[in-house]
Amino acid sequence: MDLSSWFEFTMYDAVFLAVVLGFFFYWLTRKEQPLPTPPKEVAPLQMTDMTLEELRKYDGVKNEHILFGLNGTIYDVTRGKGFYGPGKAYGTLAGHDATRALGTMDQTAVSDQWDDHTGLSAEEQETANEWETQFKFKYLTVGRLVQNESDKADYGSRKSFIRGAESLDSIIHGDSESKKDN
């Protein structure tokens, strides 16, 4: 075997060497890109019951928190502002009782008046219940949606929290399981 055959340099070798040198030069001169800043976390709200008028303030425009009611419970869906924020897919629900809209899957079904949800079929109520099952494990529970100021409960200084299987009645009435510091 001849030594010159070991060092034979073809056009393919030249292209390969140029690509490797190009990547190496790029690697040496590239600049580090800063990481994007994480979205600003908003502090959890104090637990409180609200009337519809009070709830309307939390539409993501008038207040940075985005809240809506579902089956009589108010959820803070601020961390889902990509869905529930102004101009987003479910933005019309923000600051409203969303039970009828989610139960019927019709976003135009939100109302500015008190809605006792009469007229919802069993299937529509079940759909709203399925939504609520997801929300209580995913979003902060702020309190209850009440018709009158006199219906409001006192939660002390408790902050809103992800409720999971815990009922609001147990929190309001002070059952032993609900006396966790959240």
Side-chain angles (χ1 to χ4, degrees):
M1 180 172 253
D2 188 338
L3 188 61
S4 65
S5 66
W6 279 62
F7 296 107
E8 193 174 299
F9 195 74
T10 66
M11 183 60 137
Y12 297 113
D13 296 328
V15 169
F16 176 74
L17 184 61
V19 169
V20 168
L21 287 175
F23 277 120
F24 181 70
F25 181 72
Y26 168 76
W27 180 76
L28 284 176
T29 60
R30 78 186 192 297
K31 293 183 179 174
E32 293 280 330
Q33 296 293 326
L35 292 174
T37 57
K40 183 181 122 187
E41 288 287 323
V42 281
L45 292 169
Q46 194 90 6
M47 282 196 71
T48 184
D49 293 342
M50 293 183 194
T51 62
L52 275 174
E53 188 161 324
E54 293 168 322
L55 181 62
R56 281 191 205 103
K57 298 173 191 170
Y58 296 94
D59 61 359
V61 175
K62 298 174 192 128
N63 190 301
E64 64 185 335
H65 285 276
I66 303 170
L67 309 180
F68 66 70
L70 178 59
N71 285 339
T73 303
I74 299 171
Y75 293 97
D76 185 342
V77 295
T78 305
R79 62 182 253 196
K81 66 183 167 191
F83 294 108
Y84 305 106
K88 302 299 181 184
Y90 293 98
T92 58
L93 305 179
H96 291 89
D97 180 357
T99 306
R100 186 172 299 275
L102 291 173
T104 61
M105 297 306 292
D106 177 10
Q107 290 187 50
T108 62
V110 294
S111 172
D112 288 333
Q113 303 298 319
W114 178 258
D115 185 0
D116 61 3
H117 311 129
T118 56
L120 284 178
S121 70
E123 184 178 313
E124 291 168 339
Q125 187 58 54
E126 182 59 32
T127 301
N129 292 342
E130 289 171 5
W131 278 99
E132 184 176 25
T133 299
Q134 293 176 28
F135 283 116
K136 66 184 179 181
F137 285 95
K138 186 174 183 178
Y139 295 113
L140 300 173
T141 299
V142 176
R144 296 177 306 151
L145 185 59
V146 295
Q147 189 170 3
N148 303 309
E149 290 281 331
S150 60
D151 297 334
K152 290 185 174 184
D154 180 20
Y155 297 96
S157 60
R158 187 170 186 161
K159 297 281 187 192
S160 55
F161 67 104
I162 295 180
R163 179 169 49 123
E166 190 172 7
S167 76
L168 277 177
D169 286 335
S170 68
I171 297 162
I172 293 167
H173 301 301
D175 292 349
S176 62
E177 273 187 37
S178 67
K179 292 186 178 174
K180 303 174 207 164
D181 273 337
N182 287 325

